[in-house]
């Protein structure tokens, strides 16, 4: 969930004089002070689709300062009181300053904070995200009380805010009750071991860019818009802190103001891989109550009531490798009268025959074979008897 100031002015006017003084050495009594105040308000209150205010300041080189730091320095502190259906989880909702296409704002219960936080956030901030609730009491809700107009954006805890989505504006004296339904996307056991190309999705800890810590569909579209902005005006808007290309000056932001319609359509045309884990919220009913008297006139509130999920998409491996082997074996036995092991044996004997032919032929050629000549059997007996008689000397020597 992310929030943006609902009155269109995200400026803490108490800090404006000191910021202008440090950047341009201009005091409130100076004739050009109001000019710089308008510039500060334009920078702080702009988003990627509302850049027309920069046209007034396009030719002033003295305004070429760090626009990101300027928007952060004048951002007012958030004063929102959370109330949940489970008291133990209320303290887990901590607002973190982030910079997205909606400008500098606050976000909570989002793992995407890691890439869009204004400052390096404590790793423990997202340790308990996403925050869930139990349906044992048949109701799950979170309520926020505000003292000034605020725009609330509800988005997936695995993603960042999409400025093109519909926001709910809450202001003092308004009490809003919003009922939400959620559609979940999950992955079964074994899907993560598959290559991203085969499973057709990416997990949040599989960023496609070395400059990023997480992957989400909206950060992918953000990168796509940033590249489009560089193509159109040679620079990227200061909202994109982890993207390639030079950061736009005031003249660059004024240039982009004439291409807002192209930037808005670019995100829809980007080829972004779906997320393996995702949650899409849809508002089904809204009930507003306006207070004209009593203690609730100075306070506004919005209560999000979440219905138990009725639809869930689950990615599963329906055909494993062993299933393929079994199917091939069954089909082979049916149509050819042979089993899978039969082909394995044939391949084995062919390979064995090839190896024997190669190695035995070569060894036979290199060795000299000596063939012993053998005598006939009767000749061998005569020779043996003669040898025995010679040894015993039992036959007389006859002289003629």
């Amino acid at each position: 969930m992310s929030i943006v100031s609902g009155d269109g002015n995200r400026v803490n006017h108490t800090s404006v004089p000191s910021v202008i003084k440090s950047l341009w050495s201009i005091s409130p009594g100076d004739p050009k002070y109001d000019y710089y105040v308008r510039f500060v308000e334009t920078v702080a209150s702009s988003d990627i689709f509302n850049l027309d205010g920069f046209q007034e300041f396009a030719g002033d080189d003295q305004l070429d300062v760090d626009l990101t730091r300027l928007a952060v320095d004048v951002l007012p502190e958030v004063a929102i009181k959370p109330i949940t259906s489970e008291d133990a989880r209320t303290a887990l909702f901590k607002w973190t300053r982030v910079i997205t296409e909606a400008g500098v704002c606050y976000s909570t219960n989002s793992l995407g904070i890691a890439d869009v936080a204004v400052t390096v956030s404590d790793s423990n901030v997202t340790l308990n995200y996403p925050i869930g609730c139990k349906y044992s009491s048949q109701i799950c809700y979170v309520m926020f009380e505000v003292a000034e107009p605020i725009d609330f954006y509800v988005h997936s805890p695995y993603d960042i805010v999409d400025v093109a989505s519909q926001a709910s504006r809450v202001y003092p004296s308004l009490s809003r009750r919003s009922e939400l339904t959620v559609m979940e996307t999950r992955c079964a056991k074994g899907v993560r071991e598959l290559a991203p190309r085969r499973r057709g999705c990416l997990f949040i800890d599989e960023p496609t860019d070395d400059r990023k810590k997480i992957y989400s569909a909206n950060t992918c579209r953000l990168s796509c818009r940033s590249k489009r902005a560089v193509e159109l005006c040679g620079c990227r808007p200061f909202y994109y802190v982890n993207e390639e290309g030079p950061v736009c000056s005031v003249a660059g932001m004024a240039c982009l103001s004439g291409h807002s319609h192209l930037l808005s359509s670019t995100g829809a045309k980007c080829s972004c891989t779906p997320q393996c884990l995702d949650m899409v919220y849809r508002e089904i009913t809204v009930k507003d109550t306006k207070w004209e008297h009593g203690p609730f006139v100075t306070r506004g509130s919005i209560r999000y009531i979440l219905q138990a999920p009725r639809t869930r998409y689950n990615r599963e491996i329906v055909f494993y490798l062993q299933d393929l082997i079994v199917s091939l074996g069954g089909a082979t036995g049916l149509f050819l009268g042979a089993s899978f092991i039969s082909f394995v044996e044939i391949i084995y004997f062919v390979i064995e025959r090839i190896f024997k032919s190669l190695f035995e032929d070569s060894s036979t050629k290199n060795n000299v074979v000596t063939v012993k000549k053998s005598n006939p059997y009767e000749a061998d007996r005569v020779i043996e008897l003669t040898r025995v008689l010679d040894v015993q000397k039992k036959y007389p020597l006859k002289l003629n």
Side-chain angles (χ1 to χ4, degrees), residues 66-79:
D66 188 343
L67 301 181
T68 303
R69 177 49 51 188
L70 174 59
V72 171
D73 289 341
V74 298
L75 181 68
E77 294 293 331
V78 64

Side-chain angles (χ1 to χ4, degrees), residues 155-315:
H155 55 83
S156 170
Y158 304 100
D159 212 335
I160 61 174
V161 64
D162 182 5
V163 69
S165 60
Q166 184 68 32
S168 292
R169 174 166 297 183
V170 181
Y171 50 87
S173 75
L174 174 66
S175 178
R176 173 166 293 173
R177 185 179 184 274
S178 176
E179 193 168 359
L180 303 176
T181 182
V182 59
M183 183 180 65
E184 295 182 277
T185 301
R186 291 287 183 266
C187 288
K189 183 179 179 181
V191 174
R192 190 180 183 92
E193 282 69 29
L194 298 176
R197 180 183 59 84
R198 293 187 62 191
R199 63 171 119 99
C201 65
L202 288 172
F203 286 90
I204 195 169
D205 58 351
E206 296 177 328
T208 57
D209 194 328
D210 293 338
R211 294 183 299 271
K212 296 182 175 61
K213 299 178 182 178
I214 62 103
Y215 173 81
S216 72
N218 283 338
T219 54
C220 174
R221 297 186 186 99
L222 183 147
S223 298
C224 192
R225 287 195 181 106
S226 178
K227 294 177 182 177
R228 182 60 171 163
V230 173
E231 294 175 359
L232 293 172
C233 295
C235 62
R236 59 178 172 86
F238 67 91
Y239 315 114
Y240 305 148
V241 293
N242 292 322
E243 302 299 331
E244 292 182 342
V247 182
C248 287
S249 62
V250 178
M253 298 299 292
C255 172
L256 290 174
S257 65
H259 302 288
S260 294
H261 62 290
L262 295 177
L263 294 176
S264 61
S265 61
T266 298
K269 297 179 181 179
C270 293
S271 178
C272 293
T273 305
Q275 296 177 229
C276 294
L277 301 178
D278 198 11
M279 301 177 72
V280 178
Y281 294 93
R282 186 171 64 89
E283 193 174 54
I284 53 177
T285 61
V286 178
K287 181 180 180 181
D288 291 342
T289 302
K290 295 183 179 180
W291 300 89
E292 297 181 357
H293 307 284
F296 299 106
V297 175
T298 59
R299 304 288 294 180
S301 66
I302 182 169
R303 173 180 292 201
Y304 288 107
I305 301 174
L306 185 62
Q307 291 186 353
R310 299 181 179 179
T311 303
R312 176 178 295 163
Y313 291 99
N314 200 33
R315 286 185 172 89

Side-chain angles (χ1 to χ4, degrees), residues 8-217:
N9 189 357
R10 285 166 275 173
V11 177
N12 182 5
H13 292 280
T14 304
S15 60
V16 170
S18 61
V19 171
I20 295 178
K21 180 70 176 180
S22 62
L23 292 176
W24 299 288
S25 300
I26 299 294
S27 301
D30 193 283
K32 297 189 66 177
Y33 179 77
D34 292 340
Y35 171 79
Y36 286 100
V37 171
R38 291 199 307 273
F39 174 71
V40 171
E41 292 178 348
T42 298
V43 174
S45 304
S46 65
D47 59 58
I48 191 62
F49 301 143
N50 295 282
L51 303 174
D52 294 338
F54 287 96
Q55 294 288 348
E56 178 185 356
F57 312 99
D60 194 343
D61 295 336
Q62 293 183 350
L63 300 178
D64 291 338
V65 297
D66 188 343
L67 301 181
T68 303
R69 177 49 51 188
L70 174 59
V72 171
D73 289 341
V74 298
L75 181 68
E77 294 293 331
V78 64
I80 299 178
K81 179 182 178 181
I83 302 173
T84 66
S85 54
E86 299 178 36
D87 295 338
R89 300 179 186 269
T90 301
L92 300 179
F93 285 91
K94 298 179 180 180
W95 296 101
T96 303
R97 290 190 298 177
V98 298
I99 180 165
T100 64
E101 292 179 327
V104 182
C105 54
Y106 289 89
S107 183
T108 187
N109 196 28
S110 172
L111 295 173
I113 290 176
D115 279 336
V116 295
V118 171
T119 57
V120 178
S121 59
D122 185 359
S123 58
N124 292 330
V125 172
T126 60
L127 184 62
N128 297 308
Y129 294 165
I131 305 171
C133 63
K134 299 178 181 178
Y135 286 92
S136 57
S137 59
Q138 301 301 319
I139 188 170
C140 175
Y141 73 87
V142 58
M143 185 173 71
F144 299 100
E145 292 186 356
V146 302
E148 59 185 21
I150 296 290
D151 285 341
F152 286 85
Y153 290 87
V154 179
H155 55 83
S156 170
Y158 304 100
D159 212 335
I160 61 174
V161 64
D162 182 5
V163 69
S165 60
Q166 184 68 32
S168 292
R169 174 166 297 183
V170 181
Y171 50 87
S173 75
L174 174 66
S175 178
R176 173 166 293 173
R177 185 179 184 274
S178 176
E179 193 168 359
L180 303 176
T181 182
V182 59
M183 183 180 65
E184 295 182 277
T185 301
R186 291 287 183 266
C187 288
K189 183 179 179 181
V191 174
R192 190 180 183 92
E193 282 69 29
L194 298 176
R197 180 183 59 84
R198 293 187 62 191
R199 63 171 119 99
C201 65
L202 288 172
F203 286 90
I204 195 169
D205 58 351
E206 296 177 328
T208 57
D209 194 328
D210 293 338
R211 294 183 299 271
K212 296 182 175 61
K213 299 178 182 178
I214 62 103
Y215 173 81
S216 72

